[in-house]
């Protein structure tokens, strides 16, 4: 993976991780209930689920993309369509009560919070589909794939840990400032624009030559 490709992937990681989803809601819920230091255990659990998703994608996609230009294009345009769908859904998202966003009340013990975060990510099939559509676009098929997937995993985990720290701290301290319907609509539409921008970037990506 070239430095230019990695920088593009790093930018994509920030856009994806900043977009509010189940992981962000779980982190905010833990921050609201237990404060930053205790609530951050949920973010650590999310990363174990993220690593599992990356491993699932890495186990089956590399060989297919290495031998099929058609498969690369199909996955690429599926990824573009999926990102545009997320943009549309985010634009139309209604304001929510953040206190009621969590499906289950978290247990205060660190191990329980880690397991809760892991299960949220590991049991999310949409996240696996998203990675299947996006991650292969950043691979250089002329180089060994294992090292590239390790770099991808480290980059995603580090960025997500930073972002989830922000969400957890935000919930623990100043989430009340973002609860009005107008503010939530503005936030949703901002992220809709980020999804659409990511779709445009992905549409420009080309398969690396062997």
């Amino acid at each position: 993976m070239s430095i230019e490709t990695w920088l593009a992937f790093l930018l994509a990681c920030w856009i994806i991780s900043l977009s509010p989803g189940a992981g962000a809601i779980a982190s905010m819920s833990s921050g609201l209930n237990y404060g930053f230091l205790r609530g951050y255990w949920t973010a650590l659990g999310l990363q174990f689920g993220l690593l599992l998703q990356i491993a699932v994608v890495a186990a089956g996609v590399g060989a297919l993309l290495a031998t099929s230009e058609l498969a690369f294009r199909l996955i690429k345009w599926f990824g573009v369509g999926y990102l545009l769908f997320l943009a549309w859904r985010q634009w139309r998202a209604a304001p929510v009560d953040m206190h009621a966003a969590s499906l289950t009340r978290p247990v205060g013990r660190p191990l329980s919070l880690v397991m809760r975060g892991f299960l949220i990510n590991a049991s999310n099939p949409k996240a696996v589909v998203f990675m299947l559509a996006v991650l292969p676009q950043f691979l250089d098929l002329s180089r060994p794939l294992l090292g590239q997937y390790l770099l991808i995993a480290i980059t995603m985990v580090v960025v997500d840990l930073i972002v989830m720290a922000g969400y957890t701290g935000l919930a623990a301290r100043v989430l009340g400032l973002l609860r009005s319907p107008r503010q939530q609509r503005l936030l949703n539409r901002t992220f809709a624009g980020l999804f659409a921008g990511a779709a445009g970037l992905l549409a420009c990506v080309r398969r690396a030559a062997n």
Side-chain angles (χ1 to χ4, degrees):
M1 180 184 295
S2 67
I3 185 64
E4 293 82 6
T5 301
W6 180 79
L7 289 173
F9 179 70
L10 179 63
L11 175 61
C13 285
W14 281 104
I15 294 173
I16 294 167
S17 192
L18 283 167
S19 303
I25 290 175
S27 293
M28 287 187 281
S29 175
S30 293
L32 283 169
N33 282 284
Y34 299 107
F36 177 79
L37 292 178
R38 179 58 62 91
Y40 197 57
W41 287 101
T42 297
L44 295 177
L46 289 169
Q47 306 319 307
F48 289 112
L50 178 62
L51 289 173
L52 176 62
Q53 293 168 349
I54 294 172
V56 168
V57 173
V61 175
L64 176 63
L65 292 176
T67 58
S68 176
E69 175 72 21
L70 176 60
F72 182 90
R73 290 182 178 275
L74 288 174
I75 292 174
K76 169 183 172 177
W77 290 109
F78 172 77
V80 171
Y82 184 62
L83 285 168
L84 291 174
F85 165 73
L86 291 178
W88 173 80
R89 190 177 64 176
Q90 196 73 51
W91 183 273
R92 293 173 56 87
V96 298
D97 181 357
M98 297 306 300
H99 281 298
S102 178
L103 295 177
T104 59
R105 184 177 180 83
V107 179
R109 296 187 302 274
L111 182 59
S112 297
L113 291 172
V114 169
M115 182 58 65
R116 178 173 179 265
F118 169 77
L119 290 175
I120 287 172
N121 265 354
S123 63
N124 185 356
K126 291 183 179 179
V128 176
V129 172
F130 181 85
M131 288 189 186
L132 177 64
V134 173
L135 293 191
Q137 319 306 328
F138 296 94
L139 296 173
D140 183 347
L141 302 180
S142 66
R143 299 179 182 181
L145 295 177
L146 178 58
Q148 296 182 71
Y149 273 116
L150 288 175
L151 180 59
I152 282 173
I154 292 170
T155 303
M156 292 192 74
V157 167
V158 170
V159 170
D160 204 55
L161 282 172
I162 295 172
V163 172
M164 291 307 123
Y167 276 128
T168 305
L170 179 68
R173 297 178 183 275
V174 296
L175 189 61
L177 299 177
L178 302 175
R179 286 176 180 163
S180 75
R182 182 177 179 274
Q183 290 170 327
Q184 289 187 40
R185 288 191 190 95
L186 178 61
L187 188 63
N188 284 335
R189 293 180 179 183
T190 297
F191 282 116
L194 292 174
F195 275 127
L201 290 175
L202 182 57
C204 296
V205 172
R206 297 183 179 181
R207 181 173 177 268
N210 289 321

